[in-house]
Amino acid sequence: FPKIDEVCFQQLQNHQVRNLLSDPSKPDWLEQAKRNLRTHFTMIGLTEDLSTTHEILSSMIPWAGKEYRVGGDGDDDICELPHSNASPTYNGCGKQGHHKPLPDRPNRSLHYLIAKYNQLDLELYQYAQELFEYQKRAHNLGANLQ
């Protein structure tokens, strides 16, 4: 396994949970993150089900379609809203905080470290999947709830 100091450790420690904390000094990080996800967001979207995420978003915010028409003079122009899913161009993981190129996919040892140091994020993600299923049911989109 690679040494911990060889990877960008700050990105291997429950990044999503940390982003959703109300009070990092309290030990109930996962519960804080779940509560904030549930109460401070209008909707939850999943990239692996982007089409359903878009359907839900479009039903809640009708102007959030895949395209946006500008004009109004009968000769509207269509502005496509592109999708991009790329690694950041600057990650601060290199020497002295510079960018460090990352592989397209982690190898087995790095995958192990990511899972090891992101257990709270993994649990939060499972919770987000549950919330997404409730949203699908609320929008009559065939939720998989038991």
Side-chain angles (χ1 to χ4, degrees):
F1 296 115
K3 295 178 186 172
I4 295 297
D5 61 303
E6 292 177 11
V7 295
C8 189
F9 198 61
Q10 69 208 22
Q11 291 185 8
L12 289 176
Q13 293 184 9
N14 299 303
H15 183 73
Q16 296 301 323
V17 167
R18 289 173 184 266
N19 283 336
L20 292 169
L21 291 178
S22 300
D23 186 352
S25 68
K26 293 184 178 177
D28 64 337
W29 282 17
L30 182 58
E31 292 311 311
Q32 285 183 61
K34 285 180 175 182
R35 181 177 54 251
N36 289 335
L37 188 63
R38 184 178 62 252
T39 61
H40 294 298
F41 291 86
T42 303
M43 71 162 284
I44 306 300
L46 299 178
T47 55
E48 71 265 17
D49 197 349
L50 201 53
S51 60
T52 303
T53 297
H54 180 259
E55 284 183 64
I56 294 170
L57 183 62
S58 294
S59 71
M60 296 171 72
I61 307 169
W63 49 261
K66 288 184 180 178
E67 61 186 34
Y68 178 70
R69 294 189 176 271
V70 294
D73 55 4
D75 190 23
D76 295 347
D77 292 323
I78 297 174
C79 295
E80 295 289 328
L81 300 177
H83 169 70
S84 176
N85 188 15
S87 294
T89 56
Y90 173 76
N91 59 21
C93 295
K95 291 180 181 174
Q96 299 177 341
H98 293 287
H99 179 72
K100 178 180 179 179
L102 301 173
D104 290 336
R105 294 194 171 275
N107 60 29
R108 279 180 62 175
S109 59
L110 186 55
H111 188 274
Y112 167 81
L113 287 174
I114 291 169
K116 178 180 177 180
Y117 290 101
N118 285 283
Q119 287 300 309
L120 295 179
D121 271 3
L122 293 172
E123 289 182 51
L124 179 66
Y125 182 70
Q126 289 174 338
Y127 182 69
Q129 289 175 310
E130 291 174 25
L131 294 177
F132 185 72
E133 290 298 322
Y134 283 113
Q135 287 176 156
K136 284 170 59 176
R137 182 192 286 176
H139 291 272
N140 296 315
L141 295 174
N144 295 321
L145 293 173
Q146 271 107 26

